[in-house]
């Protein structure tokens, strides 16, 4: 399972990269705004800075919502660095744009996916990744993880190569359940990734080992 971090915060991206388990980064316009990044030149510079830190795919989202401008923006983003994956929303022109990018060998991430029908369209258009938003479905009392399970079944039925990128992951159990269901990738905050480390028996066991070691050494 690939681990992507869902942030535009350079310090957090670096921390995850230094841990040695990071496979990529996803961003979106809200995450860029959260870091105070605005204006075309600053946005471009920030994507370049992310690409310099991470070994792996970096999703950069188009702002345009019409085919022509999505293509223009996406091609400019893809030209920045081979790590860039053009993130395109699941709308009619988005599907057309994904098909276009896929025919040009440009990697895509189809975002804002909330149903298996949308995921099927993304795969048919040739998306590299599809991003079902697990947490946001949970937020409206709908089972986000069940969507991952349905998409896995549909993609396996037909051998679609589009990778399921479980997005809007909020906590460690989302990651574990997505792994059990065979999601290819998960993207979540650093806090959810680091929470996987935690177990009280690890902490107490280590404390005991160190105490026994010190005792045996006569300390
Ligand atoms: O990047 C898309 C997605 O992961 C957003 O997550 O927590 O804002 O629902 P969230």
């Amino acid at each position: 399972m690939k681990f992507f971090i869902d942030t535009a915060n350079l310090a957090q991206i670096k921390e995850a990269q230094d841990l040695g388990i990071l496979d990529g980064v996803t961003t979106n316009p809200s995450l860029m705004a959260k870091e105070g990044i605005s204006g075309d030149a600053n946005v471009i510079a920030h994507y370049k800075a992310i690409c310099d830190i991470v070994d792996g795919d970096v999703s950069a989202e188009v702002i345009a919502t019409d085919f022509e401008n999505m293509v223009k923006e996406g091609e400019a983003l893809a030209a920045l660095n081979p790590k860039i994956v053009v993130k395109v929303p699941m709308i009619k022109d988005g599907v057309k744009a994904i098909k276009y990018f896929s025919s040009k060998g440009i990697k895509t991430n189809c975002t804002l996916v909330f149903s298996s029908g949308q995921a099927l369209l993304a795969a048919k258009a040739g998306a590299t990744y599809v991003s079902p938003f697990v947490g946001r479905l949970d937020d409206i009392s709908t089972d986000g993880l069940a969507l991952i399970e349905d998409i896995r079944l549909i993609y396996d039925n037909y051998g679609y190569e589009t990778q399921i990128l479980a997005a809007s992951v909020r906590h460690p159990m989302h990651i574990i359940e997505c792994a059990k269901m065979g999601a290819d990738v998960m993207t979540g905050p650093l806090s959810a990734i680091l929470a996987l480390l935690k177990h009280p028996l690890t902490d107490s066991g280590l404390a005991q080992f160190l105490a026994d070691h010190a005792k045996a050494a006569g300390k």
Side-chain angles (χ1 to χ4, degrees), residues 27-36 61 136:
T27 63
N28 63 42
S30 303
L31 293 171
M32 294 291 274
K34 195 173 163 195
E35 299 306 314
E61 190 157 340
R136 290 193 193 185

Side-chain angles (χ1 to χ4, degrees), residues 6-7 26-31 61 87 109 111-112 114 131-137 139 165-170 187-189:
D6 195 29
T7 185
T26 52
T27 63
N28 63 42
S30 303
L31 293 171
E61 190 157 340
K87 206 172 178 187
N109 175 355
T111 190
L112 291 166
F114 294 94
S131 286
F133 278 29
V134 175
R136 290 193 193 185
L137 281 168
D139 288 344
L165 196 174
S168 187
V169 155
R170 304 271 175 77
T187 191

Side-chain angles (χ1 to χ4, degrees), residues 133-206:
F133 278 29
V134 175
R136 290 193 193 185
L137 281 168
D138 288 356
D139 288 344
I140 58 157
S141 306
T142 302
D143 188 351
L145 290 167
L147 177 59
I148 302 295
E149 205 166 22
D150 284 352
I151 299 172
R152 182 74 284 154
L153 174 69
I154 290 168
Y155 282 11
D156 288 351
N157 278 348
Y158 296 97
Y160 287 123
E161 285 176 10
T162 298
Q163 295 177 56
I164 302 173
L165 196 174
S168 187
V169 155
R170 304 271 175 77
H171 52 71
M173 286 314 293
H174 272 158
I175 301 177
I176 292 161
E177 290 303 320
C178 285
K180 282 158 70 175
M181 288 165 181
D184 301 286
V185 192
M186 80 81 204
T187 191
L190 183 62
S191 58
I193 296 171
L194 294 180
L196 292 174
L197 278 169
K198 292 288 167 199
H199 199 288
L201 290 179
T202 304
D203 296 341
S204 61
L206 180 60

